[in-house]
Amino acid sequence: MISFWEKDSFIQYDLIIAGSGIVGLSTAIEFKEKNPSKSVLILEKGIFPTGASTKNAGFACFGSLTEIIDDLQHYSEDIVLSTVEKRYKGLEKLKNRLTNFPFDYHQYGGYELISNEQLHYLDQLQEVNKLLEPIFKAPVFLNVSDKIAAFKFSNAHVQQLLFNQFEGQIHTGKMMKGLLSKARQLDIEIITGVEVIDFYDEENRVIVQAHHELQKVDFYSEQLCICINGFTNRLLPQLNVNPGRGQVLITSPIQNLPFKGTFHYDRGYYYFRNVGDRVLFGGGRHLDYEGETTTSLQTTPYIQQQLESLLKEVILPKNDFTIDMRWSGIMGFGDQKAPIVKLLSDRIGIGVRMGGMGVAIGSEVGTQLAGIM
Ligand SMILES: Cc1cc2nc3c(=O)[nH]c(=O)nc-3n(C[C@H](O)[C@H](O)[C@H](O)COP(=O)(O)OP(=O)(O)OC[C@H]3O[C@@H](n4cnc5c(N)ncnc54)[C@H](O)[C@@H]3O)c2cc1C
């Protein structure tokens, strides 16, 4: 039961957003900047954002050569090009949005490790560079295989190495703290530990039912945005968005770590980067698609062991290392790569299905979603 004071001051808003990941925060910030007099509340189920935005690898990327070539087999050139462009623009937007909140953006460049079985992808390198030229105005993918020895990768597994000067890396935690600080600066209210469990679209308002371990509260709002990505099917099972767990590990600091940058391996099924002197390594979802279609934030011995042995055999064959931490996060996937950004009714909008590159596209989706509300 709520009090008169609570009813008067705490439960009525112009816009409520479910989910405080990169999409929910970007939507809130964009909306409030355009509508400073409107009240905005974000309801977040976790103690802090707890889906993918605080768990990811921090690649500021827009697609590796093999991924783009694979995409061209399933989608038209226009769709592939516009997806790359939206990711690239999203990164620019994120940098602009966080101008006053440093989040360790470093453009060390991105690399792709090419094995024997993938050598045929190199035949299309020039073609893909030409396709991307209108966006980047310069060749994106360059062959830098002469660096394999200096990076000390296993020669048996890595035949060629490609370099992309436009790719960067971020400190994921600082990026999310920056977005949270910016939201608070704009007087956006954020309540954590509260799960949106249902919503009702009435003629002149939306009722948002929220659950906290101590109580259930109905909030009222002019409009509602649902930005819960990998958890979408709990609220909207009719939409085509499935959870996909991603597992990672990070090593302790490694003396004389021979490389710096972001790295894609085995057509993007695996990825790694330096975090200072450490190596963060993730992927392997394809080893158990069924088991990884889950919202459970666990790690599994099978995938973690595979990550560890690839790290030892392929990436750091000449360095000793220990694993410092392991964790997982939940992404949202569907039968198409593009995010779902649309109105479900006059008052309810949705921005979900970010796939594996939400850092890149999440800011752009926030702008789009705020724009249609
Ligand atoms: C291990 C891993 C590595 C990744 N690496 C990269 C990378 O290097 N580069 C890149 O671009 N992308 C990467 N991604 C993907 C990227 O992190 C996501 O696409 C992006 O963070 C999605 O943002 P979001 O705001 O849509 O979702 P989320 O960050 O998942 O935010 C959704 C929020 O909604 C909350 N929520 C859920 N249900 C409810 C509810 N009912 N009520 C209230 N709140 C709710 C959740 O707790 C969560 O905080 C990675 C993802 C993972 C898991």
Side-chain angles (χ1 to χ4, degrees), residues 52-319:
S53 299
T54 50
K55 313 276 190 190
N56 63 56
F59 281 41
C61 60
F62 46 84
S64 67
L65 179 75
T66 58
E67 186 191 354
I68 291 174
I69 292 172
D70 285 348
D71 283 353
L72 284 167
Q73 282 172 5
H74 298 103
Y75 308 101
S76 69
E77 270 188 21
D78 282 352
I79 290 182
V80 174
L81 206 57
S82 89
T83 306
V84 169
E85 190 168 23
K86 275 187 198 143
R87 289 170 181 160
Y88 191 55
K89 275 192 183 159
L91 290 174
E92 294 306 306
K93 200 153 274 169
L94 180 64
K95 286 192 252 171
N96 289 335
R97 199 166 274 149
L98 292 181
T99 308
N100 298 320
F101 302 91
F103 61 108
D104 296 1
Y105 175 80
H106 298 294
Q107 201 164 324
Y108 295 141
Y111 297 82
E112 180 159 22
L113 283 62
I114 303 288
S115 68
N116 224 352
E117 300 80 60
Q118 293 147 15
L119 286 174
H120 62 95
Y121 283 98
L122 301 185
D123 299 342
Q124 282 170 268
L125 188 143
Q126 302 305 342
E127 194 187 314
V128 172
N129 275 345
K130 204 157 169 230
L131 185 69
L132 299 180
E133 206 176 284
I135 305 173
F136 296 95
K137 318 284 181 227
V140 174
F141 299 110
L142 305 174
N143 195 321
V144 293
S145 301
D146 53 329
K147 286 193 174 175
I148 296 174
F151 286 174
K152 299 190 178 158
F153 296 143
S154 152
N155 285 324
H157 295 86
V158 186
Q159 297 296 313
Q160 301 278 315
L161 190 66
L162 302 178
F163 179 62
N164 167 1
Q165 61 172 311
F166 298 100
E167 196 164 302
Q169 56 171 252
I170 64 168
H171 185 302
T172 293
K174 290 183 185 175
M175 180 268 291
M176 285 298 289
K177 285 277 265 197
L179 286 176
L180 285 163
S181 302
K182 174 130 192 177
R184 291 196 174 104
Q185 259 184 8
L186 289 166
D187 266 346
I188 292 165
E189 289 181 45
I190 303 171
I191 307 180
T192 60
V194 174
E195 181 172 4
V196 172
I197 49 170
D198 217 337
F199 57 88
Y200 305 95
D201 197 353
E202 290 195 332
E203 207 174 299
N204 55 359
R205 64 179 183 176
V206 187
I207 303 176
V208 182
Q209 252 181 18
H211 179 257
H212 174 269
E213 61 174 0
L214 295 178
Q215 61 189 144
K216 219 184 220 176
V217 173
D218 284 353
F219 289 89
Y220 299 93
S221 181
E222 293 281 309
Q223 295 181 300
L224 168 69
C225 284
I226 298 169
C227 305
I228 59 172
N229 202 33
F231 306 86
T232 302
N233 66 15
R234 289 195 193 163
L235 276 183
L236 294 162
Q238 70 276 23
L239 287 184
N240 178 355
V241 184
N242 297 313
R245 181 167 61 194
Q247 300 193 31
V248 292
L249 54 77
I250 192 163
T251 68
S252 299
I254 296 172
Q255 259 195 350
N256 305 318
L257 182 67
F259 53 79
K260 204 187 250 182
T262 47
F263 294 81
H264 306 259
Y265 176 54
D266 199 3
R267 291 172 299 145
Y269 286 124
Y270 300 100
Y271 47 87
F272 60 98
R273 59 168 280 192
N274 75 297
V275 179
D277 292 340
R278 300 166 186 262
V279 177
L280 182 154
F281 184 36
R285 203 166 59 87
H286 64 301
L287 300 172
D288 181 15
Y289 270 127
E290 206 177 315
E292 297 303 296
T293 304
T294 174
T295 53
S296 156
L297 283 163
Q298 307 289 318
T299 56
T300 59
Y302 176 53
I303 290 184
Q304 288 292 323
Q305 274 158 19
Q306 182 68 5
L307 291 176
E308 228 177 291
S309 53
L310 281 175
L311 195 54
K312 178 84 215 143
E313 280 165 31
V314 182
I315 300 159
L316 293 167
K318 299 189 176 132
N319 290 78

Side-chain angles (χ1 to χ4, degrees), residues 19 22-23 44-45 50-53 56-57 59 196 229 355-359:
I22 187 168
V23 173
E44 165 56 50
K45 160 171 88 93
T50 312
S53 299
N56 63 56
F59 281 41
V196 172
N229 202 33
M357 275 186 224
V359 169

